[in-house]
Amino acid sequence: MTTYGVLGVGSIAKAVVTGLCEGVAAPPELVLSPRGAATAAALSGRYETVRVAEDNQAVLDAADVVLVCLRTTDTDVLADLTWRPDHVVVSATAALGVPRLLALVAPATRVCRSVPMPPVAERAGLTAVHPPLQEARALFDRLGSTLEVEEVAAYEALSATSATLSGFFGYLATQTAWLQRQGIGAEDARSYVAATYAGALGQLEGGAGFDELAAEYATPGGVNEQVARELRESGAYVALDRALDGAHHRLATE
Protein backbone atom coordinates (compact mmCIF):
# COMPACT_ATOMS: atom_id res chain seq x y z
CA MET A 1 0.00 0.00 0.00
CA THR A 2 1.18 3.52 -0.78
CA THR A 3 2.63 5.54 2.09
CA TYR A 4 1.83 9.24 1.88
CA GLY A 5 4.08 11.93 3.28
CA VAL A 6 2.76 15.41 4.03
CA LEU A 7 5.00 18.48 4.22
CA GLY A 8 3.23 21.33 6.02
CA VAL A 9 0.27 20.42 8.20
CA GLY A 10 -2.24 23.26 7.98
CA SER A 11 -5.95 23.31 7.21
CA ILE A 12 -5.75 21.68 3.77
CA ALA A 13 -3.43 18.91 4.96
CA LYS A 14 -5.77 18.31 7.88
CA ALA A 15 -8.72 18.00 5.48
CA VAL A 16 -6.81 15.52 3.30
CA VAL A 17 -5.74 13.35 6.24
CA THR A 18 -9.26 13.41 7.69
CA GLY A 19 -10.80 12.38 4.37
CA LEU A 20 -8.31 9.53 3.96
CA CYS A 21 -8.80 8.18 7.47
CA GLU A 22 -12.12 9.12 9.08
CA GLY A 23 -14.45 6.12 9.06
CA VAL A 24 -12.26 4.25 6.55
CA ALA A 25 -11.82 0.52 7.11
CA ALA A 26 -8.29 0.38 5.68
CA PRO A 27 -6.76 3.88 5.71
CA PRO A 28 -3.31 4.41 4.21
CA GLU A 29 -0.13 5.05 6.15
CA LEU A 30 0.56 8.78 6.48
CA VAL A 31 3.72 10.44 7.73
CA LEU A 32 3.37 14.10 8.69
CA SER A 33 6.03 16.76 9.00
CA PRO A 34 6.39 18.43 12.40
CA ARG A 35 5.53 21.78 10.80
CA GLY A 36 2.09 22.61 12.18
CA ALA A 37 2.95 20.62 15.29
CA ALA A 38 -0.36 20.97 17.13
CA THR A 39 -2.44 19.87 14.14
CA ALA A 40 -0.04 17.05 13.29
CA ALA A 41 -0.09 15.77 16.87
CA ALA A 42 -3.89 15.87 16.99
CA LEU A 43 -4.17 13.89 13.74
CA SER A 44 -1.65 11.27 14.84
CA GLY A 45 -3.49 10.90 18.13
CA ARG A 46 -6.79 10.38 16.34
CA TYR A 47 -5.79 7.97 13.57
CA GLU A 48 -3.71 4.82 14.06
CA THR A 49 -2.09 4.96 10.61
CA VAL A 50 -0.86 8.55 11.03
CA ARG A 51 2.44 9.44 12.64
CA VAL A 52 4.56 12.56 12.96
CA ALA A 53 8.12 12.40 11.62
CA GLU A 54 11.11 13.86 13.39
CA ASP A 55 11.79 16.26 10.53
CA ASN A 56 11.01 16.88 6.85
CA GLN A 57 13.70 14.50 5.63
CA ALA A 58 12.20 11.69 7.69
CA VAL A 59 8.90 12.31 5.88
CA LEU A 60 10.59 11.79 2.51
CA ASP A 61 12.51 8.74 3.68
CA ALA A 62 9.26 7.00 4.66
CA ALA A 63 6.97 8.13 1.82
CA ASP A 64 6.20 6.99 -1.70
CA VAL A 65 3.97 9.97 -2.55
CA VAL A 66 4.70 13.36 -1.00
CA LEU A 67 1.96 15.97 -0.70
CA VAL A 68 3.45 19.47 -0.44
CA CYS A 69 1.17 21.79 1.54
CA LEU A 70 3.69 24.52 2.31
CA ARG A 71 3.09 28.23 1.92
CA THR A 72 4.55 29.59 -1.30
CA THR A 73 7.11 31.61 0.66
CA ASP A 74 8.38 28.46 2.40
CA THR A 75 8.94 26.21 -0.62
CA ASP A 76 12.69 26.86 -0.85
CA VAL A 77 13.09 24.32 1.98
CA LEU A 78 12.27 21.61 -0.56
CA ALA A 79 15.68 22.12 -2.17
CA ASP A 80 17.39 21.33 1.13
CA LEU A 81 15.93 17.81 1.21
CA THR A 82 17.24 14.63 -0.39
CA TRP A 83 14.68 13.36 -2.88
CA ARG A 84 14.62 9.97 -4.57
CA PRO A 85 14.05 9.44 -8.30
CA ASP A 86 11.02 7.29 -7.48
CA HIS A 87 9.29 9.92 -5.33
CA VAL A 88 5.94 11.17 -6.63
CA VAL A 89 5.34 14.79 -5.64
CA VAL A 90 1.85 16.30 -5.49
CA SER A 91 1.94 20.01 -4.74
CA ALA A 92 -1.01 21.78 -3.15
CA THR A 93 0.97 25.02 -2.92
CA ALA A 94 -0.46 27.95 -4.88
CA ALA A 95 1.68 29.69 -7.49
CA LEU A 96 4.32 26.96 -7.54
CA GLY A 97 4.64 25.99 -11.18
CA VAL A 98 5.80 22.65 -12.49
CA PRO A 99 9.23 23.88 -13.76
CA ARG A 100 10.06 25.39 -10.37
CA LEU A 101 8.71 22.33 -8.54
CA LEU A 102 10.87 20.03 -10.67
CA ALA A 103 13.94 22.10 -9.86
CA LEU A 104 13.22 21.94 -6.14
CA VAL A 105 12.61 18.18 -5.92
CA ALA A 106 15.20 16.82 -8.39
CA PRO A 107 15.93 14.01 -9.12
CA ALA A 108 12.20 13.24 -8.70
CA THR A 109 10.42 13.77 -12.02
CA ARG A 110 6.84 12.62 -11.43
CA VAL A 111 5.22 15.80 -10.15
CA CYS A 112 1.93 17.66 -10.44
CA ARG A 113 -0.02 20.58 -9.02
CA SER A 114 -3.38 20.25 -7.28
CA VAL A 115 -6.12 22.31 -5.65
CA PRO A 116 -7.65 20.24 -2.83
CA MET A 117 -10.37 22.17 -1.01
CA PRO A 118 -11.92 21.67 2.46
CA PRO A 119 -14.72 19.33 1.24
CA VAL A 120 -12.10 16.59 0.76
CA ALA A 121 -12.44 16.04 4.51
CA GLU A 122 -15.94 14.70 3.75
CA ARG A 123 -14.72 12.88 0.62
CA ALA A 124 -16.81 15.33 -1.39
CA GLY A 125 -14.10 17.26 -3.20
CA LEU A 126 -13.48 17.69 -6.92
CA THR A 127 -9.74 18.30 -7.05
CA ALA A 128 -8.10 19.83 -10.11
CA VAL A 129 -4.74 18.26 -11.02
CA HIS A 130 -2.16 19.42 -13.58
CA PRO A 131 -0.62 17.66 -15.34
CA PRO A 132 -2.56 14.39 -15.06
CA LEU A 133 -0.73 11.90 -12.86
CA GLN A 134 -1.93 8.42 -11.98
CA GLU A 135 -0.85 8.61 -8.34
CA ALA A 136 -2.58 11.97 -7.87
CA ARG A 137 -5.81 10.60 -9.32
CA ALA A 138 -5.58 7.61 -6.99
CA LEU A 139 -5.18 9.98 -4.03
CA PHE A 140 -7.92 12.45 -4.87
CA ASP A 141 -10.42 9.85 -6.06
CA ARG A 142 -10.31 8.60 -2.47
CA LEU A 143 -11.31 12.11 -1.41
CA GLY A 144 -14.18 12.57 -3.86
CA SER A 145 -13.11 12.84 -7.48
CA THR A 146 -10.38 14.25 -9.70
CA LEU A 147 -10.48 16.76 -12.55
CA GLU A 148 -7.39 16.14 -14.67
CA VAL A 149 -6.30 19.26 -16.56
CA GLU A 150 -3.85 19.06 -19.47
CA GLU A 151 -3.30 22.78 -20.07
CA VAL A 152 -1.63 24.98 -17.48
CA ALA A 153 -3.76 28.02 -18.41
CA ALA A 154 -6.95 26.08 -17.73
CA TYR A 155 -5.57 24.81 -14.42
CA GLU A 156 -4.65 28.30 -13.27
CA ALA A 157 -8.11 29.60 -14.22
CA LEU A 158 -9.70 26.87 -12.10
CA SER A 159 -7.34 27.74 -9.26
CA ALA A 160 -8.44 31.38 -9.43
CA THR A 161 -12.10 30.48 -8.92
CA SER A 162 -11.17 28.41 -5.86
CA ALA A 163 -9.91 31.66 -4.31
CA THR A 164 -13.49 32.98 -4.05
CA LEU A 165 -14.51 30.94 -1.01
CA SER A 166 -13.52 33.55 1.57
CA GLY A 167 -15.53 36.12 -0.39
CA PHE A 168 -18.48 33.73 -0.54
CA PHE A 169 -18.52 33.29 3.21
CA GLY A 170 -18.11 37.04 3.57
CA TYR A 171 -21.29 37.40 1.46
CA LEU A 172 -23.11 35.12 3.90
CA ALA A 173 -21.64 36.97 6.88
CA THR A 174 -22.92 40.27 5.47
CA GLN A 175 -26.45 38.87 5.33
CA THR A 176 -26.17 37.46 8.84
CA ALA A 177 -24.96 40.79 10.22
CA TRP A 178 -27.82 42.59 8.44
CA LEU A 179 -30.36 40.23 10.05
CA GLN A 180 -28.85 40.90 13.46
CA ARG A 181 -29.28 44.63 12.90
CA GLN A 182 -32.95 43.89 12.28
CA GLY A 183 -33.19 42.30 15.73
CA ILE A 184 -32.67 38.63 14.82
CA GLY A 185 -30.52 36.67 17.27
CA ALA A 186 -27.04 35.73 16.06
CA GLU A 187 -27.64 31.96 16.08
CA ASP A 188 -31.03 32.22 14.38
CA ALA A 189 -29.58 34.57 11.76
CA ARG A 190 -26.70 32.23 11.00
CA SER A 191 -28.93 29.14 10.89
CA TYR A 192 -31.42 30.80 8.54
CA VAL A 193 -28.79 32.02 6.08
CA ALA A 194 -26.97 28.66 6.16
CA ALA A 195 -30.19 26.72 5.55
CA THR A 196 -31.20 29.03 2.71
CA TYR A 197 -27.99 28.42 0.79
CA ALA A 198 -27.66 24.74 1.68
CA GLY A 199 -31.13 24.16 0.27
CA ALA A 200 -30.45 26.18 -2.86
CA LEU A 201 -27.15 24.42 -3.55
CA GLY A 202 -28.96 21.10 -3.39
CA GLN A 203 -30.56 22.02 -6.71
CA LEU A 204 -27.18 21.69 -8.41
CA GLU A 205 -27.52 17.91 -8.19
CA GLY A 206 -29.91 18.06 -11.13
CA GLY A 207 -27.28 19.57 -13.41
CA ALA A 208 -29.06 22.89 -13.97
CA GLY A 209 -26.85 25.78 -15.13
CA PHE A 210 -26.19 28.71 -12.82
CA ASP A 211 -27.76 31.18 -15.25
CA GLU A 212 -30.85 28.97 -15.44
CA LEU A 213 -31.18 28.86 -11.66
CA ALA A 214 -30.63 32.62 -11.37
CA ALA A 215 -33.45 33.21 -13.84
CA GLU A 216 -35.69 30.72 -12.05
CA TYR A 217 -35.34 32.59 -8.76
CA ALA A 218 -35.69 36.05 -10.34
CA THR A 219 -39.47 36.24 -10.66
CA PRO A 220 -40.23 39.34 -12.80
CA GLY A 221 -41.02 42.21 -10.48
CA GLY A 222 -40.04 40.13 -7.44
CA VAL A 223 -37.63 40.88 -4.62
CA ASN A 224 -35.00 38.36 -5.82
CA GLU A 225 -34.93 40.12 -9.17
CA GLN A 226 -34.58 43.47 -7.40
CA VAL A 227 -31.60 42.38 -5.29
CA ALA A 228 -29.86 40.79 -8.29
CA ARG A 229 -30.42 43.93 -10.35
CA GLU A 230 -29.08 46.23 -7.63
CA LEU A 231 -25.99 44.07 -7.20
CA ARG A 232 -25.43 44.11 -10.95
CA GLU A 233 -25.98 47.87 -11.26
CA SER A 234 -23.68 48.57 -8.31
CA GLY A 235 -20.87 46.77 -10.13
CA ALA A 236 -20.66 43.83 -7.72
CA TYR A 237 -20.35 41.22 -10.47
CA VAL A 238 -17.86 43.33 -12.42
CA ALA A 239 -15.79 43.65 -9.23
CA LEU A 240 -15.81 39.87 -8.87
CA ASP A 241 -14.66 39.51 -12.46
CA ARG A 242 -11.77 41.90 -11.77
CA ALA A 243 -10.87 40.03 -8.59
CA LEU A 244 -10.72 36.78 -10.55
CA ASP A 245 -8.43 38.45 -13.10
CA GLY A 246 -6.17 39.55 -10.26
CA ALA A 247 -6.08 36.09 -8.69
CA HIS A 248 -5.41 34.52 -12.08
CA HIS A 249 -2.53 36.90 -12.73
CA ARG A 250 -1.00 36.11 -9.34
CA LEU A 251 -1.33 32.36 -9.86
CA ALA A 252 0.13 32.39 -13.38
CA THR A 253 3.52 30.72 -12.99
CA GLU A 254 4.41 29.18 -16.35
Side-chain angles (χ1 to χ4, degrees):
M1 181 179 288
T2 299
T3 296
Y4 293 101
V6 182
L7 296 177
V9 187
S11 58
I12 292 301
K14 178 182 178 181
V16 169
V17 173
T18 300
L20 289 173
C21 297
E22 185 68 31
V24 176
E29 296 286 331
L30 290 119
V31 184
L32 311 183
S33 72
R35 189 180 186 90
T39 301
L43 290 168
S44 65
R46 183 169 183 173
Y47 303 118
E48 291 185 359
T49 60
V50 178
R51 64 181 176 88
V52 182
E54 181 179 346
D55 54 30
N56 288 338
Q57 187 60 54
V59 173
L60 268 61
D61 293 345
D64 305 303
V65 176
V66 181
L67 180 64
V68 178
C69 295
L70 300 171
R71 292 177 296 187
T72 307
T73 53
D74 295 333
T75 53
D76 284 349
V77 302
L78 298 175
D80 298 329
L81 303 173
T82 301
W83 297 83
R84 301 192 309 267
D86 65 323
H87 271 135
V88 176
V89 185
V90 180
S91 172
T93 299
L96 178 60
V98 169
R100 175 62 176 159
L101 180 59
L102 284 168
L104 290 170
V105 303
T109 58
R110 293 181 58 75
V111 308
C112 71
R113 302 169 68 185
S114 65
V115 194
M117 300 301 289
V120 298
E122 307 294 331
R123 294 185 284 279
L126 174 59
T127 302
V129 170
H130 165 77
L133 193 64
Q134 179 182 349
E135 292 85 353
R137 172 178 278 279
L139 169 61
F140 293 119
D141 278 356
R142 299 178 72 156
L143 298 169
S145 55
T146 308
L147 177 60
E148 295 184 319
V149 185
E150 294 281 356
E151 299 297 328
V152 64
Y155 172 83
E156 288 171 344
L158 291 165
S159 298
T161 62
S162 72
T164 62
L165 282 179
S166 178
F168 170 72
F169 286 112
Y171 182 74
L172 303 190
T174 299
Q175 295 175 61
T176 302
W178 184 89
L179 284 173
Q180 289 179 251
R181 292 197 299 274
Q182 312 314 308
I184 309 298
E187 186 56 37
D188 285 345
R190 183 198 176 281
S191 296
Y192 186 81
V193 171
T196 297
Y197 282 88
L201 290 173
Q203 293 183 267
L204 298 179
E205 297 296 328
F210 296 124
D211 286 342
E212 179 183 344
L213 290 171
E216 181 179 323
Y217 275 94
T219 303
V223 180
N224 260 279
E225 182 192 48
Q226 175 186 332
V227 171
R229 183 180 66 252
E230 291 186 11
L231 285 171
R232 183 172 58 253
E233 291 175 351
S234 72
Y237 300 142
V238 173
L240 175 58
D241 211 51
R242 285 199 303 267
L244 286 168
D245 285 341
H248 190 211
H249 178 74
R250 181 177 175 183
L251 290 166
T253 59
E254 299 175 40

